[in-house]
């Protein structure tokens, strides 16, 4: 801390406020209605009007890695927040976490593509890039799921897609693009 107290938080450049810390076994609620990151091991840095959190943790049984959250006060008391990271692990656990999202929460419109009877096996990697603009504007989401020799079984039909490889990209409005290869009905 350096500067006149009455000028805090020094938006005019008349001083400096900086704070750094390390958190172990933390819990981070990144979006309302979503399961939080637990067992978080993170570094926190506050530098004036900017807050940065980086680290790793768990979402359910999934590994959350390369998590980076930054928030910056735009001077009017509103924060623009950016969240990025990767979530990896069993596809069945990924489906469980996504199905547990409270209805009406941010980005739930894309979850309609997940039928309730869908079962999965194998691992995958989910990459997320989320922007929460200031002033309550709608969230922006860019995501990608990478399949790594997965299998999907549909409960209402005797159909299984096996050896699924490739990726699908999505936004807050739903699926956008992708390239998948799979074995279906023996072909």
């Amino acid at each position: 801390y350096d500067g006149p107290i009455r000028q805090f938080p020094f938006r005019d450049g008349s001083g400096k406020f900086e704070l750094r810390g390390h958190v172990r076994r933390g819990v981070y609620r990144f979006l309302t209605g979503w399961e939080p990151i637990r067992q978080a091991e993170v570094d926190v840095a506050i530098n004036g009007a900017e807050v940065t959190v980086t680290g790793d943790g768990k979402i359910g049984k999934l590994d959350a890695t390369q998590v980076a959250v930054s928030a910056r006060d735009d001077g009017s008391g509103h924060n623009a927040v950016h969240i990025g990271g990767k979530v990896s692990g069993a596809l069945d656990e990924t489906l469980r976490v996504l199905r547990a999202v409270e209805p009406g929460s941010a980005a739930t419109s894309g979850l309609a593509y997940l039928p309730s009877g869908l079962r999965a096996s194998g691992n995958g990697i989910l990459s997320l890039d989320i922007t929460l603009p200031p002033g309550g504007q709608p969230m922006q989401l860019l995501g990608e799921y990478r399949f790594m020799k997965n299998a999907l079984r549909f409960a209402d039909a005797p159909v299984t897609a096996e050896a699924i490889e490739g990726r699908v990209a999505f936004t807050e409005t739903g699926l956008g693009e992708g390239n998948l290869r799979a074995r279906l009905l023996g072909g």
Side-chain angles (χ1 to χ4, degrees), residues 89-97 99 118-122:
L91 177 54
D92 208 34
E93 177 68 359
T94 302
L95 292 174
R96 186 201 66 76
V97 167
R99 287 184 183 124
L118 185 64
R119 299 288 176 249
S121 63

Side-chain angles (χ1 to χ4, degrees), residues 4 23 25 38 42 56 101 105 123-124 126 142 149 154 166 180 182:
V23 176
R25 296 180 300 280
R38 299 183 186 281
V42 298
D56 303 317
V101 174
S105 301
N123 292 318
L126 175 66
L142 295 173
K149 298 207 185 249
F154 302 90
L180 296 173

Side-chain angles (χ1 to χ4, degrees), residues 11-165:
R11 287 188 179 96
D12 61 0
S14 63
K16 182 175 182 166
F17 177 76
E18 187 174 327
L19 178 68
R20 298 194 184 277
H22 184 78
V23 176
R24 287 188 211 126
R25 296 180 300 280
V27 175
Y28 181 68
R29 289 171 175 70
F30 58 98
L31 286 175
T32 303
W34 289 70
E35 189 168 334
I37 296 175
R38 299 183 186 281
Q39 300 175 23
E41 184 91 13
V42 298
D43 291 309
V44 179
I46 300 171
N47 191 353
E50 186 170 349
V51 177
T52 305
V53 179
T54 57
D56 303 317
K58 293 275 198 189
I59 301 175
K61 296 177 185 173
L62 301 170
D63 293 322
T65 59
Q66 301 176 21
V67 176
V69 179
S70 63
R72 181 163 186 81
D73 185 333
D74 67 1
S76 68
H78 294 104
N79 288 315
V81 179
H82 183 260
I83 305 164
K86 295 186 183 293
V87 179
S88 61
L91 177 54
D92 208 34
E93 177 68 359
T94 302
L95 292 174
R96 186 201 66 76
V97 167
L98 291 173
R99 287 184 183 124
V101 174
E102 292 175 14
S105 301
T108 56
S109 63
L111 301 180
Y113 293 101
L114 303 175
S116 61
L118 185 64
R119 299 288 176 249
S121 63
N123 292 318
I125 300 170
L126 175 66
S127 300
L128 292 172
D129 187 337
I130 301 167
T131 301
L132 303 171
Q137 296 175 45
M139 174 186 81
Q140 299 164 356
L141 169 71
L142 295 173
E144 176 185 275
Y145 191 84
R146 186 159 299 276
F147 292 87
M148 299 171 2
K149 298 207 185 249
N150 301 90
L152 291 172
R153 289 176 292 291
F154 302 90
D156 297 338
V159 177
T160 299
E162 300 172 314
I164 303 168
E165 290 186 279

